[in-house]
Amino acid sequence: MEPFVADEYIERLVWRTPGGGSRGGPEAFDPKRLLEEFVNHIQELQIMDERIQRKVEKLEQQCQKEAKEFAKKVQELQKSNQVAFQHFQELDEHISYVATKVCHLGDQLEGVNTPRQRAVEAQKLMKYFNEFLDGELKSDVFTNSEKIKEAADIIQKLHLIAQELPFDRFSEVKSKIASKYHDLECQLIQEFTSAQRRGEISRMREVAAVLLHFKGYSHCVDVYIKQCQEGAYLRNDIFEDAAILCQRVNKQVGDIFSNPETVLAKLIQNVFEIKLQSFVKDQLEECRKSDAEQYLKNLYDLYTRTTNLSSKLMEFNLGTDKQTFLSKLIKSIFISYLENYIEVETGYLKSRSAMILQRYYDSKNHQKRSIGTGGIQDLKERIRQRTNLPLGPSIDTHGETFLSQEVVVNLLQETKQAFERCHRLSDPSDLPRNAFRIFTILVEFLCIEHIDYALETGLAGIPSSDSRNANLYFLDVVQQANTIFHLFDKQFNDHLMPLISSSPKLSECLQKKKEIIEQMEMKLDTGIDRTLNCMIGQMKHILAAEQKKTDFKPEDENNVLIQYTNACVKVCAYVRKQVEKIKNSMDGKNVDTVLMELGVRFHRLTYEHLQQYSYSCMGGMLAICDVAEYRKCAKDFKIPLVLQLFDTLHALCNLLVVAPDNLKQVCSGEQLANLDKNILHSFVQLRADYRSARLARHFS
């Protein structure tokens, strides 16, 4: 309903009244008629208000009357509820009293009935005992095969009683009872077997419950376990078959036996000790003596699959300490193989590593030289480190580095597999020690027999510094050795560290690795140093062969057409080639270190070479052009020190051509001001006009 709005109501009333419209309407506005209409309408509203008011009062009175009646009725209901509650309490007390009496009476009846039942039971047992005593079983319980359950209960009790009787008087009856006991036991087991074959779980449960009190109960469990495995191993994967079998038995064993965890544990023990042990023995004994590689692979695979099966079985209820139970089963299978595992592993790894290396050297038609050990070799090594002299004749390796990434990958792969097997097959207490033994084999064959041998051979192949047209292959050895050692270091961190990280063997391995690194770095440094000497020697040969005295003191000063000498061109070409080779052979800071050393020696060679000649004015200009070309070559080194040395040398060469009057000014310039005066003097002395009194006077 819409809310009442007085203005709208009056507006509607005005429009309905004739003469109530505006003056411009069809009827003239009549205020008297409108007033009369208002008065009449007000009277109607007053009458309506009075009528509604009377109706409201009547309804209020009726509501008050009904409220009083309802309150009265609620009070009556509360009184009735209180009475009912009191009756309920009385009834509850009476029931408790009666229940107490009934319990007391029941106890009394039980006290009377229990001896009576025992007496009746004893009477029945005496009756059955008499039948055995007479030698004739007449009772229906013994003759009716359908009452085998009752017969089993009786014979089990008679069997217990018979054990208490003296043998001399009751030997015959004891024998008969024992025979019947055995017969019933066999019948029950046969019935259990038949029910299992028919898949009758309820019948199996009944028979198993009866057999629970017999000595042959364990035989019943054995029969169940045996029949469970019939047809269970049909796939090629015995481990998967065993897992499926145990999952199937786990679902039904609780519906049959009262101790399902014991039965399941016995099944698993049977599977491990008979099926798996036989399978493992067949797989391993076949190749144990004839094929170490296949033996180790099979051992690792079988042990892994056995432990994976054990992990799946951990989800079953096998008793209190199933972890220990399963671990003992695994140990019983593999103990004879794990006891000497590490001996087989290390023996195989040594022979395999030796074969990989020998196959490589055979492919190169190379007979390994004996590097030698002991006092003489150590003495040679110390002399070589201190003097950097080649000891013994140089060997021509024909560019062969005797390093092979394929060989290295094979060695590392074999070692990786050995680490994985070691991790899986070693006892936790022996793991760090076994891993260290594998690591020492890797060091022996990879680092010593391969890398160190290649370094020794490479060192022996470095020609002397005065050799002409020498081929320098040692940088190739450096490049490959660095790559190989990165692979070695990666395996050390990825596969060895996790096995020894929490044992004292960690420090031993780190120390051994450090010694190997230092030994190799020492030989690499020696080889690189001798290689740099050879490079400088090659530059000397080029300069000696190509540089002529007339280059810097031409006969015709006005007819010099070349920008720089032929010796400079060949030296720069050689240097650029060697710089590129060094950059390709090394990485990181090693590149800068070696290039800086080469640059310093290159500068010294150039400096000493320039000191050998006398320079005319045009010859000095040509020398400056040569040094400028050398400086451009030095920029390829990207070593600030080397570039600074050649900048200074270039500035020194200016002393060869500057006018005598400007010598002091040039010598005090930025690049030459900090040089020793003797060095400046030595360059000025190279000028062809040095002995003129004018030049000597200006420089003094």
Side-chain angles (χ1 to χ4, degrees):
M1 180 180 293
E2 295 182 1
F4 176 76
V5 180
D7 292 343
E8 292 182 2
Y9 180 78
I10 293 172
E11 190 68 28
R12 287 196 299 272
L13 178 61
V14 169
W15 282 106
R16 287 200 305 269
T17 304
S22 64
R23 295 181 180 274
E27 296 183 13
F29 175 71
D30 188 353
K32 290 183 178 181
R33 288 185 66 182
L34 186 59
L35 176 61
E36 183 180 348
E37 185 65 27
F38 279 170
V39 171
N40 293 336
H41 205 74
I42 289 171
Q43 289 176 353
E44 290 175 2
L45 289 173
Q46 287 176 343
I47 293 170
M48 185 184 296
D49 180 59
E50 291 173 358
R51 190 185 310 122
I52 291 173
Q53 188 64 35
R54 286 195 300 272
K55 189 175 181 179
V56 169
E57 291 175 356
K58 183 178 180 181
L59 289 172
E60 286 179 349
Q61 291 174 359
Q62 185 178 353
C63 183
Q64 290 175 359
K65 180 180 179 182
E66 290 179 357
K68 290 179 181 179
E69 291 176 355
F70 181 76
K72 182 178 180 182
K73 190 174 182 180
V74 169
Q75 289 177 355
E76 291 174 355
L77 288 172
Q78 286 179 340
K79 290 179 181 179
S80 299
N81 185 50
Q82 288 178 353
V83 172
F85 183 73
Q86 290 175 356
H87 289 169
F88 176 77
Q89 284 184 325
E90 292 173 0
L91 180 61
D92 184 55
E93 291 174 358
H94 187 64
I95 289 173
S96 299
Y97 175 75
V98 172
T100 303
K101 289 292 184 181
V102 169
C103 289
H104 179 65
L105 181 60
D107 292 339
Q108 289 180 332
L109 290 174
E110 185 179 0
V112 174
N113 189 52
T114 300
R116 178 178 174 278
Q117 285 181 338
R118 290 177 180 172
V120 171
E121 186 71 23
Q123 184 183 15
K124 288 181 180 180
L125 290 175
M126 290 173 66
K127 174 187 171 185
Y128 298 134
F129 186 81
N130 284 334
E131 291 184 13
F132 280 98
L133 198 60
D134 295 339
E136 185 177 359
L137 300 179
K138 301 176 181 178
S139 298
D140 182 57
V141 72
F142 292 125
T143 58
N144 190 346
S145 59
E146 295 181 357
K147 295 186 177 181
I148 189 172
K149 182 177 179 181
E150 292 83 349
D153 181 58
I154 292 169
I155 199 67
Q156 197 269 338
K157 292 177 180 178
L158 289 175
H159 186 262
L160 292 175
I161 293 171
Q163 290 179 346
E164 302 296 328
L165 298 176
F167 182 78
D168 53 348
R169 293 177 55 191
F170 298 96
S171 60
E172 185 177 353
V173 69
K174 289 179 70 172
S175 175
K176 291 178 181 178
I177 291 174
S179 176
K180 188 63 178 178
Y181 179 92
H182 179 69
D183 291 343
L184 277 174
E185 190 175 63
C186 291
Q187 290 179 37
L188 287 168
I189 292 174
Q190 184 60 40
E191 177 63 22
F192 181 88
T193 304
S194 301
Q196 185 175 2
R197 286 176 178 162
R198 295 191 302 269
E200 298 177 359
I201 300 298
S202 59
R203 182 59 179 162
M204 292 170 65
R205 180 171 58 250
E206 292 175 5
V207 177
V210 174
L211 277 169
L212 182 62
H213 305 291
F214 280 75
K215 294 179 180 179
Y217 177 72
S218 61
H219 186 56
C220 171
V221 174
D222 293 339
V223 168
Y224 173 75
I225 290 173
K226 181 180 178 182
Q227 290 201 165
C228 282
Q229 297 183 73
E230 291 179 358
Y233 304 102
L234 300 177
R235 301 176 182 81
N236 292 328
D237 190 347
I238 189 174
F239 296 94
E240 185 64 25
D241 287 337
I244 293 173
L245 169 66
C246 293
Q247 289 173 353
R248 175 167 56 82
V249 171
N250 181 60
K251 292 178 181 178
Q252 68 173 208
V253 70
D255 297 332
I256 300 173
F257 297 98
S258 59
N259 54 341
E261 66 280 355
T262 304
V263 177
L264 185 59
K266 194 169 184 179
L267 168 66
I268 292 173
Q269 183 176 0
N270 184 275
V271 170
F272 271 72
E273 293 181 351
I274 297 178
K275 283 290 181 183
L276 293 185
Q277 189 159 18
S278 175
F279 179 76
V280 168
K281 185 177 180 181
D282 291 342
Q283 294 289 312
L284 294 180
E285 292 297 334
E286 182 180 350
C287 56
R288 187 171 189 174
K289 296 180 180 179
S290 59
D291 190 345
E293 179 182 11
Q294 192 61 45
Y295 169 75
L296 289 169
K297 287 181 178 179
N298 289 353
L299 178 60
Y300 175 76
D301 179 63
L302 291 170
Y303 190 84
T304 300
R305 292 166 71 187
T306 305
T307 52
N308 290 341
L309 174 61
S310 173
S311 299
K312 293 179 182 178
L313 300 179
M314 281 292 292
E315 65 187 48
F316 303 143
N317 181 15
L318 304 177
T320 53
D321 194 358
K322 52 188 174 183
Q323 178 69 51
T324 303
F325 169 70
L326 292 171
S327 298
K328 286 182 178 179
L329 291 179
I330 296 174
K331 187 176 182 180
S332 67
I333 295 176
F334 291 97
I335 185 169
S336 61
Y337 306 107
L338 298 181
E339 284 178 341
N340 67 335
Y341 150 72
I342 194 60
E343 303 302 330
V344 179
E345 183 72 80
T346 53
Y348 164 72
L349 188 58
K350 285 180 180 179
S351 63
R352 178 67 177 170
S353 300
M355 184 191 73
I356 291 172
L357 289 177
Q358 190 59 48
R359 185 187 301 162
Y360 168 71
Y361 294 122
D362 289 345
S363 70
K364 299 293 182 181
N365 293 321
H366 175 72
Q367 181 67 37
K368 282 190 72 174
R369 298 184 307 110
S370 176
I371 295 175
T373 56
I376 296 177
Q377 180 65 22
D378 293 341
L379 178 61
K380 285 184 177 182
E381 185 64 29
R382 285 197 296 271
I383 294 173
R384 183 168 62 189
Q385 291 170 11
R386 293 188 180 185
T387 63
N388 198 23
L389 295 174
L391 301 179
S394 175
I395 297 175
D396 188 1
T397 60
H398 304 287
E400 181 60 58
T401 63
F402 293 108
L403 286 173
S404 167
Q405 286 199 24
E406 181 181 355
V407 169
V408 173
V409 169
N410 289 337
L411 290 173
L412 291 177
Q413 182 64 23
E414 292 291 341
T415 312
K416 174 187 174 183
Q417 293 174 357
F419 280 135
E420 290 174 350
R421 289 193 290 263
C422 177
H423 189 198
R424 175 71 70 178
L425 301 175
S426 295
D427 186 88
S429 60
D430 297 331
L431 178 58
R433 182 168 59 254
N434 292 348
F436 179 74
R437 290 181 64 177
I438 293 173
F439 173 65
T440 57
I441 295 173
L442 176 64
V443 169
E444 176 185 354
F445 286 93
L446 176 62
C447 298
I448 297 176
E449 293 295 328
H450 192 54
I451 303 177
D452 190 69
Y453 176 76
L455 292 177
E456 286 288 346
T457 306
L459 285 171
I462 299 175
S464 61
S465 58
D466 57 352
S467 300
R468 295 175 180 269
N469 301 320
N471 292 319
L472 304 177
Y473 297 113
F474 192 79
L475 290 179
D476 296 331
V477 177
V478 173
Q479 178 186 9
Q480 293 187 39
N482 282 335
T483 302
I484 291 170
F485 201 80
H486 285 317
L487 296 174
F488 170 77
D489 192 53
K490 187 176 188 305
Q491 184 166 95
F492 183 91
N493 294 325
D494 292 348
H495 296 97
L496 177 61
M497 284 293 288
L499 307 184
I500 60 170
S501 57
S502 57
S503 76
K505 286 291 179 183
L506 174 61
S507 59
E508 197 170 342
C509 287
L510 291 173
Q511 180 61 31
K512 193 171 188 67
K513 178 186 171 187
K514 180 183 177 183
E515 291 173 358
I516 289 294
I517 293 174
E518 290 176 349
Q519 178 182 346
M520 291 186 180
E521 285 182 344
M522 196 176 296
K523 292 183 179 181
L524 287 170
D525 290 345
T526 302
I528 291 170
D529 188 65
R530 288 172 54 190
T531 299
L532 294 180
N533 284 342
C534 287
M535 291 179 184
I536 299 301
Q538 290 295 310
M539 296 181 208
K540 284 183 179 178
H541 286 307
I542 294 171
L543 292 172
E546 299 295 334
Q547 197 83 73
K548 300 178 177 58
K549 291 186 177 181
T550 56
D551 287 343
F552 301 118
K553 202 172 181 182
E555 296 177 359
D556 187 356
E557 291 279 330
N558 299 320
N559 193 23
V560 178
L561 302 177
I562 58 175
Q563 295 181 344
Y564 29 76
T565 66
N566 191 46
C568 171
V569 172
K570 291 190 175 182
V571 167
C572 287
Y574 180 80
V575 169
R576 287 191 175 95
K577 181 179 177 182
Q578 302 309 315
V579 168
E580 188 65 25
K581 195 167 187 178
I582 290 172
K583 289 181 178 179
N584 292 333
S585 301
M586 301 177 194
D587 55 10
K589 295 182 179 179
N590 293 331
V591 178
D592 294 342
T593 303
V594 175
L595 286 179
M596 183 168 69
E597 183 63 29
L598 176 61
V600 171
R601 297 186 189 188
F602 176 36
H603 169 266
R604 186 184 306 120
L605 171 65
T606 307
Y607 178 87
E608 293 174 353
H609 175 71
L610 293 174
Q611 292 280 328
Q612 298 175 12
Y613 299 94
S614 177
Y615 300 89
S616 65
C617 181
M618 186 55 66
M621 293 297 295
L622 196 58
I624 291 175
C625 291
D626 277 5
V627 173
E629 193 65 20
Y630 292 142
R631 184 174 62 176
K632 188 186 298 183
C633 185
K635 288 183 179 179
D636 295 341
F637 287 59
K638 297 181 180 179
I639 304 296
L641 174 62
V642 176
L643 187 58
Q644 181 183 352
L645 289 174
F646 277 93
D647 285 342
T648 304
L649 183 59
H650 187 269
L652 282 171
C653 288
N654 287 329
L655 297 176
L656 301 175
V657 297
V658 70
D661 296 338
N662 297 330
L663 273 175
K664 286 189 176 181
Q665 180 182 352
V666 173
C667 290
S668 60
E670 181 180 352
Q671 290 183 315
L672 302 180
N674 295 324
L675 291 181
D676 187 271
K677 193 170 182 180
N678 293 328
I679 295 175
L680 301 176
H681 192 199
S682 67
F683 257 81
V684 174
Q685 285 178 327
L686 300 177
R687 293 171 61 127
D689 58 353
Y690 173 72
R691 298 193 179 277
S692 67
R694 184 168 170 237
L695 182 62
R697 186 177 64 255
H698 278 87
F699 193 74
S700 60

